[in-house]
Amino acid sequence: GSGANGSVFPRWSRLCFVREGLITGTEIALAATIIGTATSAVGQLKQASAAQATAKFNSQVSANSATNARATAAENEKRFRRLSSKRMGQLRARGASADLLADSATEEELEALTIRHSGEAQGKAFDAAGIIEKSRGRVAAQSARFGAAGTLLKGSATGKGQYDKLAPNSILRIF
């Protein structure tokens, strides 16, 4: 038969004590709400930690890239200045005029400063990207924390509604 003794689903009724009337559908729903809410909130908090860790890593990559851009530019500037010095020496050896030497020296210096400036501009761009990454991480983590708080509040409200529907003699009635 399929009476209150749970003979339709004998294994399920033994597992949940439904046959004896100890656990009702409302109690199962309440337990599922509590477990689901807690699991979801923990997942959102883990998401917050992951977002911060990813942002920290990306920010460090940007900082490393900024350092490398500046170091590369400095090395390129040194290399250019060495070659420039050779070119200027060749001009002097050929007997170039003072005006030509002055113009050439000015052009060579401008090019060296352009190389330096280019590296610094790249470095600053990477620095800015690192700052943006940190901000994104903070925003994502804060959003996930607020999501977890919202999940807990919503789950609490749902659980309270289910708790209010429990029978007075329910095994889940705590208060």
Side-chain angles (χ1 to χ4, degrees), residues 112-127:
L113 293 175
T114 299
I115 292 169
R116 181 189 306 169
H117 174 73
S118 175
E120 186 58 32
Q122 282 182 321
K124 286 184 179 189
F126 285 122
D127 288 339

Side-chain angles (χ1 to χ4, degrees), residues 52-126:
Q52 282 187 309
T54 299
K56 182 178 179 181
F57 174 80
N58 289 341
S59 176
Q60 187 59 52
V61 168
S62 291
N64 292 345
S65 296
T67 300
N68 289 340
R70 289 181 179 105
T72 299
E75 188 57 38
N76 288 342
E77 180 185 0
K78 284 180 193 175
R79 188 176 303 117
F80 180 82
R81 287 185 183 279
R82 279 193 302 274
L83 292 174
S84 175
S85 178
K86 287 181 184 179
R87 283 190 292 268
M88 294 301 292
Q90 289 172 348
L91 284 175
R92 277 191 288 285
R94 287 188 213 148
S97 68
D99 285 343
L100 179 61
L101 285 172
D103 284 347
S104 294
T106 300
E107 289 299 319
E108 296 285 328
E109 182 62 20
L110 285 175
E111 183 62 27
L113 293 175
T114 299
I115 292 169
R116 181 189 306 169
H117 174 73
S118 175
E120 186 58 32
Q122 282 182 321
K124 286 184 179 189
F126 285 122

